[in-house]
Amino acid sequence: MDIMVIFGSESDLPVGEEVRKIFDKLGVKFEMRIASAHRTPDRVYELIKKAEDQGAKAIIAGAGMSAHLAGVVASKTILPVIGIPMDAGPLHGIDSLLSTVNMPGGIPVATVSLGKAGGKNAALLACSIIALGNEKVSKALKDYRREMTAKVYEADRLLGVNNEE
Amino acid sequence: MDIMVIFGSESDLPVGEEVRKIFDKLGVKFEMRIASAHRTPDRVYELIKKAEDQGAKAIIAGAGMSAHLAGVVASKTILPVIGIPMDAGPLHGIDSLLSTVNMPGGIPVATVSLGKAGGKNAALLACSIIALGNEKVSKALKDYRREMTAKVYEADRLLGVNNEE
Amino acid sequence: MDIMVIFGSESDLPVGEEVRKIFDKLGVKFEMRIASAHRTPDRVYELIKKAEDQGAKAIIAGAGMSAHLAGVVASKTILPVIGIPMDAGPLHGIDSLLSTVNMPGGIPVATVSLGKAGGKNAALLACSIIALGNEKVSKALKDYRREMTAKVYEADRLLGVNNEE
Amino acid sequence: MDIMVIFGSESDLPVGEEVRKIFDKLGVKFEMRIASAHRTPDRVYELIKKAEDQGAKAIIAGAGMSAHLAGVVASKTILPVIGIPMDAGPLHGIDSLLSTVNMPGGIPVATVSLGKAGGKNAALLACSIIALGNEKVSKALKDYRREMTAKVYEADRLLGVNNEE
Amino acid sequence: MDIMVIFGSESDLPVGEEVRKIFDKLGVKFEMRIASAHRTPDRVYELIKKAEDQGAKAIIAGAGMSAHLAGVVASKTILPVIGIPMDAGPLHGIDSLLSTVNMPGGIPVATVSLGKAGGKNAALLACSIIALGNEKVSKALKDYRREMTAKVYEADRLLGVNNEE
Amino acid sequence: MDIMVIFGSESDLPVGEEVRKIFDKLGVKFEMRIASAHRTPDRVYELIKKAEDQGAKAIIAGAGMSAHLAGVVASKTILPVIGIPMDAGPLHGIDSLLSTVNMPGGIPVATVSLGKAGGKNAALLACSIIALGNEKVSKALKDYRREMTAKVYEADRLLGVNNEE
Amino acid sequence: MDIMVIFGSESDLPVGEEVRKIFDKLGVKFEMRIASAHRTPDRVYELIKKAEDQGAKAIIAGAGMSAHLAGVVASKTILPVIGIPMDAGPLHGIDSLLSTVNMPGGIPVATVSLGKAGGKNAALLACSIIALGNEKVSKALKDYRREMTAKVYEADRLLGVNNEE
Amino acid sequence: MDIMVIFGSESDLPVGEEVRKIFDKLGVKFEMRIASAHRTPDRVYELIKKAEDQGAKAIIAGAGMSAHLAGVVASKTILPVIGIPMDAGPLHGIDSLLSTVNMPGGIPVATVSLGKAGGKNAALLACSIIALGNEKVSKALKDYRREMTAKVYEADRLLGVNNEE
């Protein structure tokens, strides 16, 4: 396994789908699980152990509201921990963002964007870590960047808005 | 022990002093400890166990920034858990407040005011729980209320501002 | 009656339904009423008195916008008061949260999550207080926790997402 | 008495001083008192009654944090109630502002600026209400406006910054 | 005319409808107009003049986004000015609230709740000012309060939720 | 070309449509392109160069979330750069607003309203710059203002709400 | 005069000093005045007229709290209006920022950074507008940029921190 | 070089000192530079190139206000980019945080805590990435964790607050 992915709740799975799409496309092996810092803390610890034992390069953790999952994971491993703040709930994720990113000195969480953009970016950040020691993922990541660039160029080409001539 | 009190860091102790003053005044037995959800999670679990074993009626947990301590404590016990959001750090505690109060459904944290007012109120809330089964603390709490009322009356008496006569 | 539950408005009743479901499941006797700190303050006081007379262990108060209900209740009793900030209105509850949680030192309100998660958590917090002196509710609360844990395990089992084999 | 002024705490008195200065200058009779919605609610009701009995034209109420004072006063009188959100505490008054201004439909609070500017503006708003039926205060208020205008003109005259000649 | 009501845009009229309902019910004479601080400032000044000439007791001004209308009105009259922050636009009214309420010292705006609740409360606040010198409106306002109280009692009676007997 | 307009993503084009409508109406020549500070930075630099070479009077840049486009453009040109913060994403544009407006000293971005109002205002601000040296656009802008004023007067005329006669 | 600069209050002058330093350095003629949208609106209109009559290329307006000055200026001229939100007062300028930037569609304000950085950036933005038709200011602005770049290079050179050799 | 560290301004160096202390302690080779996304963008690109050429494992970028540095770096490399939001300026870093963390999908920034805690955590996160392929840093990081744990235990031991015996 390259990356362990943990979401705190079933309701986070649409964001998980963004993670999966990136990993499938870039050829990264992952395991995606549901485990809650508050409701199944012991399972969270098992999954951290499994990630470490199987040589994972990072753990992605996504949770909403008072989101403690990424911080709790980070407190139990020295693997890089990537936190995705969910944008669910009445406060649209500002609670989750602040609960994830502003960790006290000593235990970092690599926090990415809120919600679906965060799912995609968490996976890409994980790929950039894997790519340090994996030529295939490095190449796939560069290809992904080029493709993304090409898409913006294509959108621009199709737009073609100007009112001159 | 009536109440276990846990702060995440030494820097939280001025708030702890507010807790101590209330408990000393109202005759509540407590133990105040420093333990961190992120830096010493195992100690946190030991303290929860100790609180349960010694018949504590509630656990008070205070932490700052992405404050996970109260939520982590609440996930491991059915004792009432009272969270104090610290007002330290660049965001003055809005991070700590949102990290403490907006727990996902299933694991409540009884969150009180930010900072020093929160220290006082956490202790008083703990007293109101103890008072349900402890006539002495109930009486002390009522006395405290009366005294507080008297102080406001006295402040009002000393003020005596009006420009009529 | 174990718990008095007061909402400030009919529009809060979907959150009240979350409270009811927990109390019915865990075997807690409650009375749920509508009374407003601003529109029917005298009724609020009657309900506090009734709660005290009938041996209630806590009062739950839920209100929205500039939510004063929980604070007003707390000022008139030494029973533990649990505040639910409603997530209604243009500001999605940040007004209600700050109006409920940040009480001046001396009069605590045990504030829980915003909206429906808050309804569930208010009831569970009340149960944790009752459980201190009630073995049946204590057992029911532990069962509830186990069931919640089992549900997360089951969701995880059904997910079974990984792209390795 | 023209105006009853109530602050929730001694610590609000520097704002009260702004109120006093305006009322002294514009010739408005007032009584300024300390009474707390949470700590001395009965005194608050007495002061409302006194204001009504003595023909006050409005009640000014200033409080901080989860500021319920103005709303509680408004729920007990049909006199205009002017709320001053204090800018004290870790959140610098955003809590007090939202607790004061966003009252549920039916019970308005006329909310003014935060802190000292709010003290001045509360008094001036009260004067504008009194002025509706009091020629002397109306004239004093117009004079005050003229004087304020003159001060800005004078500041502008003294500044005299330009780099042209 | 008792009250001049100015909204900055047609899109504010659903809030205006709340104002109208209260004034019709309580027997207050008003004129409701659309005029913009930015797009038709001269019309705003005409309406202020008209309000003063016809003996209006207050001016209600409602606007959204960077809402300057109430402040601009207040700068040109010593009549009480009541500001309604609209809850429209991407920020749901926090922009409008802060643009309306936090006026520099010297020019107060009596700010009420956001959006529709604000429409109702602006009208009721205006009534409380009129009531100071108008027995009929004073009685109508007291009746309105009683009716509102009765409605809460009735909602409470219909609810009748408890799980005891 | 008078104005270069760059949006960071196809999803910003409804705001672009507001820009186009103003420029078409006021007779301003523009080119509207999609280019991303993060995904196609080199294209952004080409477009800046093109704008400078063709004598554009300003560059409008609109982007969402952590919106860097306007700042990146401003760092590479001394043309006036107008930033439109998009109101998309979970935070409704407060992220985009703060990422656009609060530039460190030395590199200004002329930031306008969020979302569609921002599209309209960016174009009008660009027109006000062009108008400094272009009598036709100056006249068109004055006409636009008059038309806008007339529309508010017409809306006011149609409203005609008052309950007096 | 190239630029008219208006601040709402004497207390804004430290920010005005930042404006002055840039204009003196880049050779821009300006007039700096104190006038308040609320306290001296008529003076504000005079200054707008003067700016237009003397061929100013833009008006800079800086104000704090519920900052209406820039919007009020923009409503009365088609000159580009640059708004500086002051960072004074309890809310540190978030009130001023939202009151300045989020103008309703039709009347743009070119808003820059909060406080002193905003003073500098407002002046530089004004220079970039002047530079469109003034070769000397254009050159001075390019020189300023180069100098700023050189300063960063110099700071970098002095730092020289690395722990390798 | 293991890690390239870039700060946008000299004023960020106290945070840089936190980075340095961690890297010195854990034996990580780094180069710390000052370069600005807005003032010296070309230098930023040179430093990215240098980092890539010299086999750096990550780039740390710290900037304040509308902080674009980390995003601009991330757009030009597939190395992991760690962003530190500075807590400087009137908004205490909420601007910097939102400008850094909420990157559009495709270009992630691994954002850590605000200010000094962020400096420490950025360095520790970088160490956790290096540790994946470097046994010595891995051991040093584990030692650091143990030491941190020991310090919390020691603080707890010294506290020894309880009022029972």
Side-chain angles (χ1 to χ4, degrees):
Chain A
M1 170 190 4
D2 298 313
I3 302 289
M4 172 64 78
V5 185
I6 310 174
F7 284 101
S9 153
E10 280 175 282
S11 61
D12 304 330
L13 292 180
V15 173
E17 181 61 14
E18 299 295 314
V19 175
R20 191 193 59 70
K21 282 193 286 190
I22 294 292
F23 282 158
D24 281 353
K25 186 178 183 73
L26 274 74
V28 167
K29 291 194 162 57
F30 70 98
E31 181 167 328
M32 188 180 296
R33 303 294 296 269
I34 296 174
S36 159
H38 302 123
R39 288 178 277 211
T40 62
D42 297 328
R43 173 60 59 86
V44 171
Y45 305 143
E46 286 168 40
L47 296 176
I48 294 167
K49 182 94 186 11
K50 184 174 184 188
E52 291 178 338
D53 289 349
Q54 301 196 359
K57 296 290 179 289
I59 299 175
I60 292 175
M65 303 179 69
S66 292
H68 300 181
L69 182 61
V72 162
V73 171
S75 74
K76 288 285 194 177
T77 186
I78 65 159
L79 285 177
V81 175
I82 300 171
I84 311 172
M86 293 296 133
D87 58 348
L91 301 181
H92 300 300
I94 193 72
D95 45 352
S96 174
L97 173 58
L98 295 177
S99 301
T100 302
V101 75
N102 210 25
M103 293 287 291
I107 306 286
V109 168
T111 305
V112 293
S113 315
L114 285 155
K116 286 192 173 185
K120 182 184 272 195
N121 280 353
L124 288 167
L125 177 59
C127 291
S128 78
I129 293 172
I130 296 169
L132 292 170
N134 180 324
E135 198 50 45
K136 218 176 84 187
V137 170
S138 174
K139 191 183 161 308
L141 189 52
K142 284 174 193 156
D143 289 347
Y144 178 84
R145 285 279 182 104
R146 265 190 292 270
E147 197 181 302
M148 192 167 64
T149 298
K151 273 187 192 155
V152 179
Y153 281 136
E154 178 65 7
D156 179 45
R157 197 183 61 79
L158 290 173
L159 176 62
V161 169
N162 73 60
N163 63 358
E164 302 185 89
E165 59 268 273
Chain B
M1 173 188 7
D2 297 313
I3 302 288
M4 171 65 78
V5 184
I6 311 175
F7 285 100
S9 153
E10 279 174 282
S11 60
D12 304 329
L13 293 180
V15 174
E17 181 61 14
E18 298 295 315
V19 174
R20 190 193 60 70
K21 283 193 286 190
I22 294 291
F23 284 158
D24 281 353
K25 185 178 182 76
L26 275 74
V28 167
K29 290 193 163 57
F30 70 99
E31 181 167 328
M32 187 178 299
R33 303 294 296 268
I34 295 175
S36 159
H38 301 123
R39 288 178 277 209
T40 61
D42 297 327
R43 173 60 59 88
V44 172
Y45 304 144
E46 286 168 39
L47 296 176
I48 295 167
K49 180 95 189 7
K50 184 174 182 187
E52 291 179 337
D53 289 349
Q54 300 197 358
K57 295 291 180 287
I59 300 175
I60 292 175
M65 303 178 70
S66 293
H68 300 181
L69 182 61
V72 163
V73 171
S75 74
K76 288 283 195 179
T77 184
I78 65 160
L79 285 177
V81 175
I82 299 170
I84 311 172
M86 292 296 133
D87 58 348
L91 301 182
H92 300 299
I94 192 74
D95 46 352
S96 175
L97 173 59
L98 294 177
S99 301
T100 302
V101 75
N102 209 24
M103 293 288 291
I107 306 287
V109 168
T111 306
V112 293
S113 315
L114 286 154
K116 286 193 174 184
K120 183 184 272 194
N121 280 352
L124 288 167
L125 178 59
C127 291
S128 77
I129 292 171
I130 297 170
L132 292 169
N134 179 324
E135 198 50 46
K136 219 175 85 188
V137 171
S138 173
K139 190 183 163 307
L141 189 52
K142 283 175 193 156
D143 288 347
Y144 179 85
R145 286 277 182 104
R146 264 188 293 268
E147 196 181 304
M148 190 167 65
T149 298
K151 274 186 191 156
V152 179
Y153 281 136
E154 179 64 6
D156 179 48
R157 197 182 62 78
L158 289 173
L159 177 63
V161 169
N162 74 60
N163 62 0
E164 302 184 90
E165 56 270 85
Chain C
M1 171 189 5
D2 298 313
I3 303 289
M4 171 64 78
V5 185
I6 311 174
F7 284 100
S9 154
E10 279 175 281
S11 61
D12 304 330
L13 292 180
V15 173
E17 180 61 12
E18 299 294 314
V19 174
R20 191 195 58 70
K21 282 194 287 191
I22 294 291
F23 283 158
D24 281 353
K25 185 177 183 76
L26 275 73
V28 167
K29 291 193 161 58
F30 70 99
E31 181 167 328
M32 188 179 297
R33 303 293 296 268
I34 295 174
S36 158
H38 301 124
R39 290 179 275 210
T40 61
D42 296 327
R43 173 60 59 88
V44 172
Y45 305 143
E46 286 168 38
L47 296 176
I48 294 166
K49 181 91 185 14
K50 184 174 184 189
E52 290 177 338
D53 290 348
Q54 301 197 358
K57 296 290 179 290
I59 300 176
I60 291 175
M65 301 178 71
S66 292
H68 300 180
L69 182 61
V72 163
V73 171
S75 75
K76 288 286 193 176
T77 185
I78 65 159
L79 285 177
V81 175
I82 299 170
I84 311 173
M86 292 296 133
D87 58 348
L91 301 182
H92 301 300
I94 193 73
D95 46 353
S96 175
L97 172 58
L98 295 178
S99 300
T100 302
V101 74
N102 210 24
M103 294 287 292
I107 306 287
V109 168
T111 306
V112 292
S113 315
L114 285 155
K116 286 193 173 183
K120 182 184 272 195
N121 280 353
L124 289 167
L125 178 59
C127 291
S128 77
I129 293 171
I130 296 169
L132 293 169
N134 179 325
E135 197 50 44
K136 218 175 85 187
V137 170
S138 173
K139 191 184 162 308
L141 188 52
K142 284 174 192 157
D143 289 347
Y144 178 84
R145 286 278 182 104
R146 264 189 293 269
E147 196 181 304
M148 190 167 64
T149 299
K151 273 186 191 157
V152 179
Y153 282 137
E154 179 65 7
D156 179 46
R157 197 183 62 78
L158 289 172
L159 176 62
V161 169
N162 74 61
N163 63 358
E164 301 185 271
E165 55 269 270
Chain D
M1 171 187 10
D2 298 312
I3 303 289
M4 171 65 78
V5 184
I6 311 174
F7 284 100
S9 155
E10 280 175 281
S11 61
D12 304 329
L13 292 180
V15 173
E17 180 61 13
E18 299 294 315
V19 175
R20 190 193 59 70
K21 283 193 286 189
I22 294 292
F23 283 158
D24 281 352
K25 186 177 183 73
L26 275 73
V28 167
K29 290 194 163 55
F30 70 98
E31 180 168 331
M32 187 179 299
R33 304 292 296 269
I34 295 174
S36 157
H38 301 122
R39 289 178 278 209
T40 61
D42 296 327
R43 173 59 59 89
V44 172
Y45 305 144
E46 287 169 38
L47 296 176
I48 294 167
K49 181 95 189 8
K50 184 173 184 189
E52 290 178 338
D53 289 350
Q54 301 197 359
K57 297 291 180 288
I59 299 175
I60 292 174
M65 301 178 71
S66 292
H68 300 181
L69 182 62
V72 162
V73 171
S75 74
K76 288 284 193 179
T77 185
I78 65 160
L79 285 177
V81 175
I82 299 171
I84 311 172
M86 292 297 134
D87 58 348
L91 301 182
H92 299 300
I94 192 73
D95 46 352
S96 175
L97 172 59
L98 294 178
S99 300
T100 302
V101 75
N102 209 24
M103 293 288 291
I107 306 287
V109 168
T111 306
V112 293
S113 316
L114 286 155
K116 287 192 172 183
K120 183 184 272 195
N121 280 352
L124 288 167
L125 177 59
C127 291
S128 77
I129 293 171
I130 296 170
L132 292 168
N134 180 324
E135 198 50 45
K136 216 175 84 188
V137 171
S138 173
K139 189 181 163 311
L141 188 52
K142 283 174 193 155
D143 289 347
Y144 178 84
R145 286 278 182 105
R146 263 189 294 269
E147 195 180 307
M148 191 167 63
T149 299
K151 273 186 193 156
V152 179
Y153 281 136
E154 179 65 5
D156 179 47
R157 196 183 62 77
L158 289 173
L159 176 63
V161 169
N162 72 60
N163 61 359
E164 301 185 89
E165 58 271 85
Chain E
M1 172 188 7
D2 298 312
I3 303 289
M4 171 64 78
V5 185
I6 311 175
F7 283 99
S9 155
E10 280 175 282
S11 61
D12 304 329
L13 292 180
V15 173
E17 180 62 13
E18 299 294 314
V19 175
R20 191 194 57 71
K21 283 193 287 190
I22 294 291
F23 283 158
D24 282 352
K25 185 178 184 74
L26 275 71
V28 168
K29 291 194 161 55
F30 70 98
E31 181 168 328
M32 188 179 299
R33 304 293 296 268
I34 295 174
S36 159
H38 301 123
R39 289 178 277 211
T40 61
D42 296 327
R43 173 61 56 91
V44 171
Y45 305 144
E46 287 169 38
L47 296 176
I48 295 167
K49 181 93 187 12
K50 183 173 184 188
E52 290 177 339
D53 289 348
Q54 300 198 359
K57 297 289 180 291
I59 300 177
I60 292 175
M65 301 177 71
S66 292
H68 301 180
L69 183 59
V72 163
V73 171
S75 74
K76 287 283 192 180
T77 184
I78 65 160
L79 285 177
V81 175
I82 299 170
I84 311 173
M86 292 295 134
D87 58 347
L91 301 182
H92 301 300
I94 192 74
D95 45 354
S96 175
L97 172 59
L98 295 178
S99 300
T100 301
V101 75
N102 209 25
M103 293 288 291
I107 307 288
V109 168
T111 306
V112 292
S113 316
L114 286 154
K116 288 194 173 184
K120 182 184 274 195
N121 280 353
L124 288 167
L125 178 60
C127 291
S128 77
I129 293 171
I130 296 170
L132 293 169
N134 179 323
E135 197 51 45
K136 216 175 84 187
V137 170
S138 173
K139 190 184 163 307
L141 188 52
K142 283 175 192 155
D143 289 347
Y144 178 84
R145 286 278 182 103
R146 264 189 293 269
E147 197 181 303
M148 190 167 64
T149 299
K151 273 187 193 155
V152 179
Y153 281 137
E154 178 65 5
D156 178 46
R157 198 184 60 79
L158 289 172
L159 176 64
V161 170
N162 74 60
N163 62 358
E164 300 185 272
E165 60 268 271
Chain F
M1 170 189 7
D2 298 313
I3 302 289
M4 171 64 78
V5 185
I6 310 174
F7 283 101
S9 153
E10 281 175 279
S11 61
D12 304 330
L13 292 180
V15 173
E17 181 60 15
E18 300 294 315
V19 174
R20 192 193 58 70
K21 283 193 287 191
I22 294 292
F23 283 158
D24 281 352
K25 186 178 184 75
L26 275 73
V28 167
K29 290 193 162 56
F30 70 99
E31 180 168 328
M32 188 180 298
R33 302 294 296 269
I34 295 175
S36 158
H38 301 122
R39 288 178 278 209
T40 61
D42 297 327
R43 174 60 58 87
V44 171
Y45 304 144
E46 286 168 40
L47 297 175
I48 294 167
K49 182 93 188 11
K50 185 175 183 187
E52 290 178 339
D53 289 348
Q54 302 198 357
K57 296 291 180 289
I59 299 176
I60 292 175
M65 303 177 69
S66 291
H68 301 180
L69 182 61
V72 162
V73 171
S75 74
K76 288 283 193 178
T77 185
I78 66 159
L79 286 177
V81 175
I82 300 171
I84 312 173
M86 293 296 133
D87 58 347
L91 301 182
H92 301 298
I94 192 73
D95 44 354
S96 175
L97 172 58
L98 294 177
S99 300
T100 302
V101 75
N102 210 25
M103 292 289 291
I107 306 287
V109 168
T111 306
V112 293
S113 316
L114 286 155
K116 288 192 172 185
K120 182 184 273 194
N121 280 352
L124 289 166
L125 178 59
C127 291
S128 77
I129 293 171
I130 296 169
L132 292 169
N134 180 323
E135 198 50 47
K136 216 175 85 188
V137 170
S138 174
K139 189 183 164 308
L141 189 52
K142 283 175 193 154
D143 288 347
Y144 178 85
R145 286 278 183 104
R146 265 190 292 270
E147 196 181 304
M148 192 167 64
T149 299
K151 273 188 192 154
V152 178
Y153 280 137
E154 179 66 7
D156 179 46
R157 197 184 60 79
L158 289 173
L159 176 63
V161 170
N162 75 58
N163 63 359
E164 299 185 272
E165 58 269 86
Chain G
M1 171 189 6
D2 299 311
I3 302 289
M4 172 64 79
V5 185
I6 311 174
F7 284 100
S9 153
E10 279 175 282
S11 61
D12 304 329
L13 292 180
V15 173
E17 180 62 12
E18 299 294 315
V19 174
R20 191 193 58 70
K21 282 193 286 188
I22 294 291
F23 283 158
D24 281 352
K25 186 178 184 75
L26 275 73
V28 167
K29 291 194 161 56
F30 70 98
E31 180 167 328
M32 189 180 296
R33 303 293 296 268
I34 295 174
S36 158
H38 301 123
R39 289 177 277 209
T40 62
D42 297 327
R43 174 60 59 89
V44 172
Y45 305 144
E46 287 168 38
L47 295 176
I48 294 167
K49 181 96 185 11
K50 184 174 184 190
E52 289 177 338
D53 289 349
Q54 302 197 357
K57 296 290 179 290
I59 300 176
I60 292 175
M65 302 179 70
S66 293
H68 300 181
L69 181 61
V72 162
V73 171
S75 75
K76 288 284 192 177
T77 186
I78 65 159
L79 285 177
V81 175
I82 299 170
I84 311 173
M86 292 297 133
D87 58 347
L91 301 183
H92 300 299
I94 193 73
D95 45 353
S96 174
L97 172 58
L98 295 177
S99 301
T100 301
V101 75
N102 210 25
M103 293 288 292
I107 306 287
V109 168
T111 306
V112 293
S113 315
L114 286 155
K116 288 192 172 185
K120 182 184 273 196
N121 280 351
L124 288 168
L125 178 59
C127 291
S128 77
I129 293 171
I130 296 170
L132 292 169
N134 179 323
E135 197 51 43
K136 216 176 86 189
V137 170
S138 173
K139 191 184 160 307
L141 189 51
K142 284 174 193 155
D143 288 346
Y144 179 83
R145 285 279 182 105
R146 263 189 294 269
E147 195 180 304
M148 190 166 65
T149 299
K151 273 187 193 153
V152 179
Y153 281 137
E154 179 65 5
D156 179 45
R157 197 182 62 78
L158 289 172
L159 176 62
V161 169
N162 72 60
N163 61 359
E164 300 185 271
E165 54 271 88
Chain H
M1 171 190 4
D2 298 312
I3 303 288
M4 172 64 79
V5 184
I6 311 174
F7 284 100
S9 154
E10 279 175 283
S11 61
D12 304 330
L13 292 180
V15 173
E17 180 62 12
E18 299 295 315
V19 174
R20 192 194 58 71
K21 283 193 286 189
I22 294 291
F23 283 159
D24 281 352
K25 186 178 182 75
L26 275 73
V28 167
K29 291 192 161 57
F30 70 98
E31 181 168 327
M32 188 179 298
R33 302 294 295 268
I34 295 175
S36 158
H38 300 123
R39 289 178 277 208
T40 61
D42 297 326
R43 173 60 59 87
V44 171
Y45 305 145
E46 286 167 40
L47 296 176
I48 295 167
K49 181 93 186 12
K50 183 173 183 188
E52 290 178 339
D53 289 349
Q54 301 198 358
K57 297 291 180 289
I59 300 175
I60 292 174
M65 303 179 70
S66 292
H68 300 181
L69 182 61
V72 163
V73 171
S75 74
K76 289 283 193 178
T77 185
I78 65 160
L79 285 177
V81 175
I82 300 171
I84 311 173
M86 292 297 132
D87 57 348
L91 301 182
H92 300 300
I94 193 73
D95 45 353
S96 175
L97 173 59
L98 294 177
S99 300
T100 302
V101 74
N102 210 24
M103 293 288 292
I107 306 288
V109 167
T111 306
V112 293
S113 316
L114 286 155
K116 287 193 173 184
K120 183 184 272 197
N121 280 351
L124 289 167
L125 178 59
C127 291
S128 78
I129 292 172
I130 296 170
L132 292 169
N134 179 324
E135 197 51 43
K136 218 176 84 189
V137 170
S138 174
K139 191 185 162 307
L141 189 52
K142 283 176 193 156
D143 288 347
Y144 179 83
R145 287 279 182 102
R146 263 189 293 271
E147 198 182 301
M148 190 167 65
T149 299
K151 273 186 192 156
V152 179
Y153 281 137
E154 179 64 7
D156 179 47
R157 198 183 61 78
L158 289 172
L159 176 63
V161 169
N162 74 60
N163 62 359
E164 301 185 90
E165 56 271 86

